[in-house]
Amino acid sequence: MADVLQDVGIRDQIQALVCDTLQVVSYKWLSRRFSVSSNTAKRILQEFAEQSKDDNIEVVYVVAGWTKNEPRNYSVQLVTQDRLQEARETLHGSPSSHVYSVQPCLPKDPAQLFAAEFVQAQELFKQPSDVNNCLRDNRFSGVSCSLVARCLGRVSSIIPKQHGAISATNQALSPPPLLAEASLDNKGPKPEVQAFQSAPAVPLGLPKIAGGVTLKEEPTTVTGLTGKGPVDSIASGNVSAGKRKAGAAGGEGSLASLWGKAPNQSSKPSAPKSSGPVKPITTAGDADRGIRAMEASVSEASSDDDVSGFGQRRGGQVMRSAGRKRQIVLDEDEEMSAKEEENPDSIECEEVVSLASPPSKSSPSVVAEEKSKENTKAKVHLPGPLTAAIDKERKISWNEKHADDPEKVEGLLEPSCAQPVENQILHEGKAEPSSVVSDKAPSGPKRKKVLRTRIDNRGREVTEVVWETDGVEEPHETKPASAKTVAQPAVVETKPITDKLAPSKAQRGPQQGASTKGSNKSAGKAAAKGPQQGKLDSFFKRKS
Amino acid sequence: MDTGAVLPRKQADYICRDERYCLSMQRYKGQQYSQLYFFRLHTIRQNLLSRVQERWPSLPVCKILGLEEGQLCVVVGTLYKQMQLKPSILEEYSKERSVVPLATPNKFTHNDDYLIMEDESGRVKLIRDANLPSFYVTGVVVAVCGKEEKDGEFFVQEILEPGLPPQIPLPSAVSFDEEKFVVFASGLKIGGESTNPLELQLLLDHLTGHLGEEEEQSLSSQIVRVVIAGGSVDLQTSLSNGQPLSGREQTKLVEPIRELDLALTQLAAAMPVDIMPGPNDPANYSLPQQPLHRCLFPGASLYNTFVSATNPHQFELDGALFLGTSGQNIEDLEKYSEAEERLDFMERTLVWRHLAPTAPDTLGCYPFTDRDPFILEMCPHVYFCGNQPSYASRLLKGPSGQQVRLICIPSFQETSSVVLVSLKTWDSHILTFSANSFQP
C-alpha cells in the first residue's frame, strides 16, 4: 500500500512538473529524483501516460529489439506514440518497449529530452567524492555488478577538490583578504603579513613553507612581534568586521569567515577563536590568541588533519604558531630574493606573499629605527583601518599609503615616525617589545610587491602590482612606479575619491600622503615628505 | 509490480597485457629509429628463416651485398616503398615557395611506385608485376625468392610473408557455456558539434542496465566489459592557439572531458571499462599512445573497474587474447597501400606479424632501442580497430588452426552503433541507437 500511495504522490508531482513547469520527465530522471528503481520509474511513467492520455501530453517510447534483416543487429530507438507500433513491427519477435519520457510537447532538438536528466546527473556527479549517490553506485539499474568498487581512500581525489575549493574561496574572497592585509600592514607590516600569508598561502604552498622552516630561527624571536602585529591586524580586521558583523552571535571574525569558507568543517571552530581574539586588541596575550586563531583558522582551512578538535589545537597552537612564523619568515626571505629577480607583473597572484616578503628583506638590512618606524606606521594604520575598516578600498589605499609613507617617513620624517611609535607604545603596552624585537626581526621593508585593488572612477575594480620600496627612499618606489606610471596616477585619483567618501578623516592624512607620494615619486621626495609628516602628526594627535 | 529481481552482471577474468606498450622505463636520449628497424628485421627474420627452410629447402639465403647475378636465391629484408606521391617535408617546403599548387591527396599510392628491399648490408630494387607495390608498405619484413639481373635489380619470383603468429588455443569451453559479450565502442566524440548526446546517453543506459524491459536488461547483463577504442572527445583545439586562455575558454575546452568523465563514471559504476587514447585524444601522438591520465577522470578513476589503457591495447578475457588499436595503423596503411576493405589491411598486419609496419616511416612512433613492441608474437583471438568509417567483421582462419575475429569498430558519432562480440560463439553484431526517429 505504501508503495502505491507513494506512486500516487509521485504521479501528482509528475503532473505538476509536466503541465506546470513544462519539464521533460524521463524515467531515469524520475528514478533519481524520487529514489525509485529505473524499472519502477518506467512503470510509474507508463501509468501516468495512460491516465493522462487526454491531457495533451506527449510520450516518447523506447523500442529495442533485434532487427529482422541480416546481419541482425540489436536496435534501440526512441519513437513517438504514433510510431510505436510501426517501430515494433520492424523488429524481430517481441521487442521490448517502455516509456522513455513524458513532456508537454516534442522538442525539436532531441537532445532536449535529455537536458534535465543531464543536469541532474551533473549535480550528482559534482557532489563530494566521498558521497555515494545513485549515479555512483548505479543502484537503480536493473543489472547489478558485484565487481564494482569505489576506492574512496585515495587522497589524491580528495585533495584536488579542496584545493579547488580553497583557491576558489580565495579568489572569491580576495577583496576581503586584501583589506585584512592592508590593515595588517599598517600595524606591523611583517608579522601581519606573515599571518596572512600563512592563511591563504599555506594550503597551496605548504611544501615551500616546510622547506623554509629549517632555515631561519630568528623568526622565533619575531613571533612576539608577529603576535602583536597579527593581533593588531586581526583586531583591526575583526573590528572592522565587528562593525559590520558585531551583532553576529557566532562572532565570526571577518577573517575567519573568509578563510573558513573553503573548508566547511574548519570554519565553525575557527570562527569562535577569531572572534575571541578580536575583543582584546592591544594585549600581548590577546595578540597571541589572535595569531593562534588566525593560524588555527588557516590551518583548519588548509589541511584535513587539522580538522580535529578545537581544544587540541589550542594546546599545540603556540608551537605551531612559532613554527609557522618561522616558516613564513623564511618564505618571505625567499620571496624577497625571488621578488627582486622577478618582474612585478609576474607576482600578481600572490597578494599576501608580496606584502609579506618586502618587510623580511628589508628587515635584515634596515636599521631598528626604520623598523620601529614601520611599526609605528603600522600602528598608525591600525587606527585608520579600525575606523575605516568598512571600505576595503580605503584600507588598501591606506596600506599603499602606509607602505609609501614608511619610505618617505624614514628618510625625512624620522622624528615624526618616532612620535607615532611612542604613541603606539603608549597605546599598547607591548609596543615596546615589538619595536625591540623588530630590530631582530626582519622588519624594514625595502621593496614590496603590492597588489593594489581599488575601484576607479568608472566604478571598475582595478588591480595592480606595484613595487614599493620601504626603508630605502622613494626613488625605489619611483622605479617600479614609473613602470606602472599609467596605473598609478589613476590610483592617486581614486584615493582622494575614496577619502572623500570615507567617513574617517584620520585616513585622509595618510592617503593624501600616499597620493602625494605617487605624484612626488618622480618629482621631489622632500616635498612629499613634508606634507606627509604634517599629516601624520595630525593623525596621531587626533588619535591620541 | 514488474520490478523483478535485479539481474547480476556476468563476469569474465580480465588480465591486462599492456606492459609491452608502456613507455615508463623509456628515456629519450636522442636515439634514432635505426634500432627499431634493426630489431624488427632481426626478430621477424628468425620467424621467416624457418618458413623459408620449409618452402625452399634447397635455395641459399643471401645477404643483399652477397647477391650474384643470375643466381636464384632467397633474401630476407625490410621493404621500402619508393613513392612519388609520398609527402615530404622538403617538397612541402619547396612547394610553399613555388606557384605549384599543393596537392593533398587522400592516398599517396601511384602506379610508378616500386619496392626496395634492404637489410644490414645494402639495398636492392625489386621488380615484378605492377601489383606488388600497391600491396606492401614500407617497413614490412619479408623473404623474397628470385635472382639479380644485369642492371642490379632483383627479379622477384615469389614473396614469402611471416604469416599468422602462433595462437594460444582457447581454454576449454568451461567458461563459455554461458553467453558473454564484450562491447567495443570508438569515436564517441563527446563535445563535438555533430555528436548527439542523447544517443550516447541511450548507449550508457543500455549498457548500465537502465534501459528496456527485462529482456533487454538481461542482454545488458551479459556484457562483461566495454572497450572504448579512442576518439572519445572532440576538443575544440582551435581555442588553444598558444595564447593564454581566459577562464571561460578553458572551461569550454575541457568541458568535453568533464562530460566524458561523467559518462565513464556511469559506466564504471556498472561494469568494467577500458578506455584507450585515440588520434585526437589528450594523449601523446606517437604510438604507442600512453594511457589517458587518471587526473582527467577524477570521477571515473575512483572505480576499480576503470582501466585507462595504452593505445595498442592487449588484454585477456577468460583466457582469450584481445588486441586492438584506435585505428591509426590501419588509417596509415590505407593511405600508403591499397585494399578493397579495411579488414584486408587488418588481416595484412596480422600476416606481416607487425601491428604498425609504417611506423616510424609515416606513422608517429617512439624510437625504441631495445625492442619493437609492435611485432606480433602471439596471434590474438579478437583483433579490433577503432574509428573506422563503418562496421565490418570477419573470421580469419590461419593455416595452423588460428582463428581471429577481425572487427572494424565504427565511429559512434557517425553511425551511432557499437560492436558486441560474443565470448561464446565469437560472433559479433552491432548495437544501434537512434534518437532521431521520434521527431515530428
Side-chain angles (χ1 to χ4, degrees), chain B residues 94-130:
Chain B
S94 63
K95 277 179 187 168
E96 244 175 44
R97 327 196 88 214
S98 70
V99 252
V100 181
L102 197 67
T104 55
N106 286 333
K107 288 178 87 79
F108 305 114
T109 53
H110 191 271
N111 287 339
D112 295 342
D113 295 345
Y114 60 91
L115 291 176
I116 292 173
M117 167 164 283
E118 69 181 46
D119 63 7
E120 301 95 327
S121 61
R123 59 184 351 203
V124 62
K125 182 178 175 183
L126 303 181
I127 53 170
R128 200 188 155 192
D129 51 45

Side-chain angles (χ1 to χ4, degrees), chain A residues 3 28 38-40 42 74 76 78 80 83 97-98 108 125 136 138 141-142 144-147 149-151, chain B residues 1 3 7 9 11 201 205 208-210 212-213 216-217 261 270 302-304 430 432 434 437-439:
Chain A
D3 211 21
K28 214 167 156 208
S38 289
N39 290 337
T40 310
K42 288 170 204 162
Y74 197 83
V76 178
L78 293 180
T80 52
R83 295 195 195 168
S97 63
H98 64 79
K108 279 188 177 178
F125 184 62
R136 295 196 172 123
N138 201 33
S141 158
S144 69
C145 184
S146 57
L147 207 65
R150 276 184 99 223
C151 326
Chain B
M1 297 294 284
T3 54
L7 299 163
R9 185 177 295 280
Q11 296 180 8
Q201 191 59 43
D205 289 351
T208 55
H210 285 280
E213 294 170 339
E216 185 178 346
Q217 289 180 354
D261 188 25
L302 290 180
Y303 292 89
N304 62 343
I430 61 174
T432 308
S434 162
S437 58
F438 75 88
Q439 284 179 291

Side-chain angles (χ1 to χ4, degrees), chain A residues 44-99:
Chain A
I44 293 173
L45 272 189
Q46 176 75 41
E47 291 169 9
F48 175 78
E50 285 169 4
Q51 285 177 4
S52 47
K53 270 180 183 173
D54 316 327
D55 298 353
N56 270 341
I57 285 182
E58 295 288 346
V59 184
V60 170
Y61 290 87
V62 57
V63 181
W66 295 97
T67 54
K68 284 178 178 172
N69 44 356
E70 290 291 327
R72 57 178 211 153
N73 303 326
Y74 197 83
S75 161
V76 178
Q77 39 185 314
L78 293 180
V79 294
T80 52
Q81 191 155 17
D82 39 324
R83 295 195 195 168
L84 176 60
Q85 202 52 38
E86 181 187 337
R88 287 179 67 99
E89 282 168 3
T90 64
L91 297 176
H92 183 75
S94 58
S96 83
S97 63
H98 64 79
V99 179

Side-chain angles (χ1 to χ4, degrees), chain A residues 300-479:
Chain A
E300 288 179 8
S302 59
S303 60
D304 298 343
D305 331 356
D306 295 355
V307 178
S308 57
F310 171 44
Q312 293 180 356
R313 240 193 222 133
R314 278 240 155 162
Q317 280 174 0
V318 178
M319 294 298 295
R320 238 188 217 172
S321 63
R324 291 244 164 149
K325 290 168 186 175
R326 288 185 197 170
Q327 298 173 356
I328 296 165
V329 173
L330 295 175
D331 243 6
E332 290 178 0
D333 293 349
E334 296 175 359
E335 290 178 358
M336 297 275 299
S337 60
K339 288 179 181 178
E340 293 176 356
E341 297 173 1
E342 290 179 291
N343 296 332
D345 298 347
S346 61
I347 313 180
E348 294 179 358
C349 320
E350 326 165 352
E351 309 163 351
V352 179
V353 176
S354 64
L355 291 175
S357 61
S360 65
K361 294 179 179 180
S362 61
S363 63
S365 61
V366 179
V367 187
E369 295 179 358
E370 294 178 356
K371 299 170 185 175
S372 64
K373 295 173 185 178
E374 294 176 357
N375 293 339
T376 57
K377 297 170 186 178
K379 295 170 183 177
V380 174
H381 295 297
L382 286 176
L386 293 175
T387 55
I390 302 174
D391 273 2
K392 301 174 180 179
E393 301 167 4
R394 286 186 186 174
K395 292 177 182 179
I396 297 169
S397 64
W398 270 85
N399 297 337
E400 296 172 357
K401 297 171 183 177
H402 290 296
D404 295 354
D405 290 353
E407 303 164 0
K408 301 174 182 178
V409 176
E410 289 172 357
L412 300 178
L413 300 183
E414 290 186 359
S416 65
C417 295
Q419 291 179 358
V421 175
E422 294 175 0
N423 294 342
Q424 292 177 354
I425 296 172
L426 295 176
H427 288 287
E428 306 175 355
K430 298 175 181 178
E432 295 178 358
S434 67
S435 62
V436 176
V437 180
S438 63
D439 298 352
K440 300 176 183 178
S443 54
K446 290 182 178 179
R447 291 180 105 196
K448 295 180 179 181
K449 289 180 186 175
V450 179
L451 234 195
R452 298 180 180 178
T453 305
R454 73 191 81 75
I455 296 181
D456 68 6
N457 300 339
R458 298 180 189 176
R460 294 176 300 195
E461 196 178 54
V462 178
T463 304
E464 308 171 345
V465 178
V466 179
W467 282 90
E468 291 185 350
T469 326
D470 285 358
V472 191
E473 295 180 359
E474 295 177 7
H476 295 279
E477 290 185 355
T478 53
K479 297 173 184 175

